[in-house]
């Protein structure tokens, strides 16, 4: 066996170990992420599940290039109407609060209903 074959065809042994270690590190990171690993939480939540309720935050709505900020109490009322299965009431409340046209308000409510809480 010649020197080049013994040295991985001219590839330094240290680089081979570095490449092997890097690949193993990426594989272990991927494996841990797939099987769970450390507990991960959703944004705005703590590990115990408590957090800032989404009803307490104002909502910015952009419709046709126009940005409208819903106060937290109005946003909470609209979310409650959607949760209770009253999208028509939510559309009406959004129109009262923002002055949006019916089609625009319905599109916003449909989007909020798909997103959920």
């Amino acid at each position: 066996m010649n020197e080049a074959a013994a040295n991985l065809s001219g590839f330094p042994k240290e680089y081979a170990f570095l490449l092997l270690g890097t690949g193993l590190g990426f594989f272990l990171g991927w494996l841990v992420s797939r099987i769970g690993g450390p507990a991960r939480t959703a944004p705005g939540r703590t590990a115990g599940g408590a957090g800032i309720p989404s009803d307490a935050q104002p909502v910015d709505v952009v419709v046709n290039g126009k940005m409208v900020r819903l106060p937290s109490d109005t946003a909470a009322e609209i979310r409650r109407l959607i949760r209770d299965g009253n999208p028509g009431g939510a559309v009406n409340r959004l129109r009262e609060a923002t002055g949006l046209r019916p089609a625009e308000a319905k599109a916003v409510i449909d989007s909020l209903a798909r997103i959920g809480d």
Side-chain angles (χ1 to χ4, degrees), residues 10 12 16 35 41 45 48 61 74 77 79 84 97 103-104 106 112:
I35 61 174
T41 58
R45 299 236 173 242
V61 180
T74 305
E77 184 179 352
R79 285 189 184 109
D84 293 346
E104 294 171 335
K106 184 175 182 333
L112 290 174

Side-chain angles (χ1 to χ4, degrees), residues 29-42:
W30 173 82
L31 185 63
V32 167
S33 72
R34 300 304 283 168
I35 61 174
R40 287 180 268 164
T41 58

Side-chain angles (χ1 to χ4, degrees), residues 87-114:
V91 168
N92 289 336
R93 182 64 185 108
L94 180 64
R95 288 190 62 216
E96 291 171 7
T98 62
L100 292 173
R101 294 185 308 216
E104 294 171 335
K106 184 175 182 333
V108 170
I109 295 301
D110 290 345
S111 296
L112 290 174
R114 279 193 302 268

Side-chain angles (χ1 to χ4, degrees), residues 9-35:
S9 300
F11 198 71
K13 191 181 343 177
E14 294 81 14
Y15 290 156
F17 287 130
L18 180 64
L19 183 61
L20 181 66
T22 303
L24 185 62
F26 277 114
F27 173 74
L28 289 176
W30 173 82
L31 185 63
V32 167
S33 72
R34 300 304 283 168
I35 61 174

Side-chain angles (χ1 to χ4, degrees), residues 54-104:
S54 59
D55 290 348
Q57 300 172 358
V59 176
D60 292 331
V61 180
V62 179
V63 180
N64 294 335
K66 181 170 87 173
M67 185 165 137
V68 179
R69 176 170 282 246
L70 292 175
S72 59
D73 57 337
T74 305
E77 184 179 352
I78 290 171
R79 285 189 184 109
R80 183 186 51 77
L81 288 167
I82 292 171
R83 259 194 318 266
D84 293 346
N86 186 2
V91 168
N92 289 336
R93 182 64 185 108
L94 180 64
R95 288 190 62 216
E96 291 171 7
T98 62
L100 292 173
R101 294 185 308 216
E104 294 171 335

Side-chain angles (χ1 to χ4, degrees), residues 1-12:
M1 193 189 270
N2 63 20
E3 183 67 30
N7 199 13
L8 299 172
S9 300
F11 198 71

